[in-house]
Each structure stands twice: as structure tokens, then as C-alpha cells.
Amino acid sequence: MPVLFLPSANSVWNGQNNISLLLSQMWYNLTMDTKPLVWIGSSRDDLKKFPDEVRDVAGFGLYKAQMGGKHPAAKPLKGYHGAGVVEIVDNHSGNTYRIVYTTKLEGVIYVLHAFQKKAKTGIETPKQEIDLINNRLRLAIEYHKLRFKK
């Protein structure tokens, strides 16, 4: 439920205070319904190595997931029917980058993996990457059960 912050009766009310109040209110409303991000393994460090443009797409895609939406570059990862495993795919300078996360676990977005696809042919995710995603998904499920008793 959004909360409106009002100045006290004896406070000075000018344009700068108006802007500060508005920004505070917007920030509060944005963060109220945002699901937290939990980074599994080296996913955050791996994402930090990506080009700035790719990190921007990934960041906005993860933000949309936190808010309950979906980025246009996000799609279900094949082989996880109904498991809520999603990948954000971005192409940059002839390279393909993928950020994999799950929405399966209530109230939290778990970032499972971030990697550059190296295979020169086909769109299929390499087996070693799928194995890593599977392992990290299991870790996320275990952590979620312990942390949230669900």
C-alpha cells in the first residue's frame, strides 16, 4: 500500500522540497513491491564482466522480473517446462550473452547463471552450462526452503 509523506505544518515548502518529497515518494513506491534478487554462485561476478550495453539489458530485464513483469529479450529456457527458468538473451558485437534466472520460488528472483555463448553453430545451450544451471537451481531451491520454510 503506497504511503504519502506530507511535510509538517511549520516546514518550509519550496520547489526543492517539492522535488525531494516527490523523489522520496517515488522511490518508496518503487521499492515496496520489488522482489529481492539473490545471486547464486559466480553469476553476479560473471555479469560484471559483460560489456556495459549487455549489463544494461540484463539489469533492466532483472528489474522487470523483480516487478513481476518480463523483458522482451526474456524467454523460458528450453527444457524447464513450467519450472519458471527464464533467460535474457542479448547479442552484442557478434557475441551472444545469456543471463538465466528463476521466478519459480515465491517472492524472490534467483539469478542462476550469466555466460557468453561460445558455440559457433546452433542456438542450443551447451551441456556444461545446462549442468551448471541445474546445480544452481537445486541450490536455490534448498536455500529457499531453509530461508523461507517453504
Side-chain angles (χ1 to χ4, degrees):
M1 168 183 249
V3 175
L4 180 59
F5 297 102
L6 297 174
S8 62
N10 58 359
S11 67
V12 177
W13 190 249
N14 60 35
Q16 188 168 356
N17 284 346
N18 275 340
I19 292 170
S20 296
L21 179 64
L22 178 63
L23 290 175
S24 296
Q25 181 67 46
M26 288 171 56
W27 178 253
Y28 180 80
N29 289 342
L30 277 175
T31 59
M32 270 186 63
D33 297 325
T34 305
K35 296 175 185 174
L37 278 180
V38 175
W39 300 86
I40 305 294
S42 63
S43 57
R44 187 173 187 194
D45 291 334
D46 296 338
L47 180 61
K48 286 180 180 182
K49 296 174 188 170
F50 289 0
D52 288 343
E53 295 83 356
V54 176
R55 287 196 321 254
D56 288 345
V57 170
F60 186 62
L62 292 171
Y63 166 75
K64 294 281 281 184
Q66 287 180 281
M67 298 303 291
K70 190 175 134 195
H71 189 279
K75 61 183 181 177
L77 184 61
K78 290 182 179 163
Y80 293 90
H81 306 288
V85 178
V86 180
E87 67 176 340
I88 299 168
V89 179
D90 192 39
N91 295 311
H92 178 73
S93 297
N95 296 308
T96 301
Y97 298 87
R98 295 181 178 189
I99 299 83
V100 180
Y101 64 92
T102 184
T103 58
K104 174 182 182 174
L105 304 165
E106 186 179 338
V108 182
I109 304 297
Y110 290 91
V111 183
L112 303 173
H113 194 23
F115 64 100
Q116 178 183 349
K117 185 173 178 296
K118 304 242 182 197
K120 301 295 181 201
T121 59
I123 60 170
E124 192 172 301
T125 304
K127 182 180 179 342
Q128 74 179 42
E129 306 296 351
I130 291 293
D131 291 345
L132 183 58
I133 292 166
N134 287 334
N135 289 335
R136 289 183 178 176
L137 180 59
R138 277 193 288 278
L139 284 172
I141 291 168
E142 289 174 20
Y143 173 80
H144 195 79
K145 284 180 184 175
L146 289 172
R147 175 71 172 88
F148 298 100
K149 307 289 187 220
K150 292 186 179 191

